[in-house]
Amino acid sequence: MINLAAICNPSEYNVNPISVIDANFLQPVKIVDVCVQQKKWLIHFSTSEVYGRTLASYLGDVDYSNPELYELDEDSTPLIMGPIGNQRWSYATSKQLMERYIFGRHKEAGLPFTTIRPLNFFGPKMDFIPGRDGEGVPRVLACFMTALLDGQPMQLVDGGMARRTIVSIHDAIRAIVLMINNREWSVNQIFNVGNRHNEVTMKELAELMREAYAECTSDATHLKHPIVNVSGLEFYGEGYEDCDRRMPNLTKAKDLLGWEPTRSLKETLLETVTYYYDQYRDWPKTQRGAAVTQA
Ligand SMILES: NC(=O)c1ccc[n+]([C@@H]2O[C@H](COP(=O)([O-])OP(=O)(O)OC[C@H]3O[C@@H](n4cnc5c(N)ncnc54)[C@H](O)[C@@H]3O)[C@@H](O)[C@H]2O)c1
């Protein structure tokens, strides 16, 4: 059983926390229980959000000189969430409790499981473009893309200083297929799936995406596409807080599965931006070019 279903859009976490908790914890409990009854191997998609904020971010002046304070290891890094009033953590805490439920069922009832913590899979077909084939606020990739397609400013929440690592969907799928085909190595493990080499701030991501857009449209004016700042409160409303950085330790996936990501950020963004441009170029422009810093 492979469970990918989730509400995993940051624009929902503050405003619809009950739906987020239902989709990411209460509903999947039933899937886990069926797997226990039927003695099935469950491959469950969790999230790197379960790590919360880094230790470094709580130590005053953020200092990333010590990897022990920010590197994310599947089996040893503490999972640090903000206060209850910051409902932004509804997603991360539901996913974390789900992981704990799966692990508990493994220990008590012998459930075979594999938990995957994706770190920003990027590629064609992710999310939707508001006003074309969906409504609402999608994740950062489609938000920036909407702004580029609409000729609207790309909006950076709180200056776009949050850092994320981006992994190509092709690398991610290769990791998942390796897990499925090598049960003896992937069973009863938690895996980070990300790319340490593709780290950017959200501000850098906006700049790189407009470069890719200029390249795929052969129009250099897009290099100057406007990027503006917006506060987290303004964009997400009450209860917003961001994870500062997500740098995965990937040694487990390499040692057990022989997996390493190979695709660079530049090629991943060019492929993705070109896909969206080809797909949506003939649609009329809308006024919705909004974008977020969170992924
Ligand atoms: N894509 C990423 O970079 C990323 C990062 C972290 C975690 N994840 C996790 O990986 C999984 C897949 O992510 P994705 O990017 O494909 O998300 P997605 O939003 O594209 O797909 C999730 C799908 O689940 C559906 N869904 C929600 N609740 C459901 C329910 N009760 N029953 C049936 N379907 C339901 C949604 O409608 C949606 O189509 C999710 O568990 C997500 O939390 C993905």
Side-chain angles (χ1 to χ4, degrees):
M1 173 80 80
I2 303 179
N3 180 24
L4 287 133
I7 294 179
C8 49
N9 184 330
S11 68
E12 302 282 329
Y13 306 163
N14 302 357
V15 291
N16 287 319
I18 302 305
S19 303
V20 169
I21 292 166
D22 185 53
N24 295 303
F25 178 67
L26 296 173
Q27 296 301 326
V29 160
K30 299 172 194 167
I31 294 174
V32 179
D33 291 348
V34 167
C35 287
V36 171
Q37 279 161 15
Q38 301 292 323
K39 302 194 186 314
K40 294 291 180 196
W41 173 27
L42 173 64
I43 300 181
H44 182 77
F45 278 73
S46 183
T47 173
S48 56
E49 289 243 343
V50 296
Y51 292 111
R53 280 174 47 182
T54 64
L55 281 166
S57 77
Y58 282 100
L59 297 177
D61 287 340
V62 180
D63 174 7
Y64 292 123
S65 57
N66 180 1
E68 287 187 10
L69 296 181
Y70 68 86
E71 249 192 37
L72 308 174
D73 178 87
E74 296 97 330
D75 301 314
S76 62
T77 300
L79 313 178
I80 309 169
M81 312 284 149
I84 298 298
N86 289 355
Q87 297 210 78
R88 176 254 184 275
W89 297 106
S90 61
Y91 173 69
T93 48
S94 312
K95 288 281 200 181
Q96 185 193 145
L97 190 54
M98 191 68 241
E99 287 201 26
R100 292 188 189 280
Y101 189 78
I102 290 169
F103 193 73
R105 292 294 258 161
H106 163 67
K107 285 288 179 192
E108 288 179 11
L111 170 74
F113 77 96
T114 302
T115 294
I116 299 172
R117 294 179 181 165
L119 291 108
N120 296 100
F121 295 178
F122 265 38
K125 301 186 183 173
M126 187 171 179
D127 287 355
F128 56 90
I129 298 295
R132 275 84 167 182
D133 53 3
E135 287 303 336
V137 182
R139 284 170 283 188
V140 67
L141 166 67
C143 277
F144 284 163
M145 217 42 249
T146 308
L148 288 166
L149 290 163
D150 283 344
Q152 298 285 317
M154 300 163 97
Q155 295 186 338
L156 289 178
V157 172
D158 297 332
M161 290 299 105
R163 304 186 197 195
R164 296 290 184 273
T165 52
I166 312 286
V167 63
S168 162
I169 188 66
H170 305 293
D171 281 327
I173 288 171
R174 204 162 38 79
I176 296 158
V177 170
L178 280 165
M179 289 176 205
I180 293 168
N181 290 341
N182 295 280
R183 176 177 166 149
E184 69 277 28
W185 297 110
S186 60
V187 76
N188 306 332
Q189 297 289 349
I190 300 170
F191 288 100
N192 288 333
V193 176
N195 187 330
R196 295 172 58 87
H197 302 295
N198 291 350
E199 188 181 41
V200 272
T201 63
M202 292 302 101
K203 183 168 181 289
E204 289 164 343
L205 178 66
E207 290 163 357
L208 288 170
M209 281 184 66
R210 69 182 179 181
E211 279 173 31
Y213 196 64
E215 190 173 338
C216 80
T217 56
S218 304
D219 180 351
T221 62
H222 293 304
L223 293 171
K224 300 255 182 253
H225 192 99
I227 296 175
V228 297
N229 279 315
V230 57
S231 74
L233 184 64
E234 210 179 323
F235 198 89
Y236 287 114
E238 287 287 333
Y240 172 74
E241 183 183 350
D242 204 359
C243 309
D244 52 314
R245 188 175 187 187
R246 298 215 196 103
M247 176 55 70
N249 182 328
L250 296 173
T251 49
K252 199 202 271 194
K254 185 178 178 195
D255 291 351
L256 293 182
L257 305 169
W259 177 81
E260 279 185 292
T262 60
R263 300 216 183 195
S264 70
L265 183 58
K266 198 162 184 284
E267 68 178 308
T268 301
L269 290 182
L270 187 60
E271 180 201 14
T272 307
V273 169
T274 304
Y275 163 82
Y276 282 100
Y277 178 63
D278 289 344
Q279 189 73 11
Y280 299 102
R281 60 197 294 181
D282 296 329
W283 289 68
K285 285 186 178 5
T286 73
Q287 299 297 310
R288 301 167 207 241
V292 294
T293 60
Q294 217 181 7

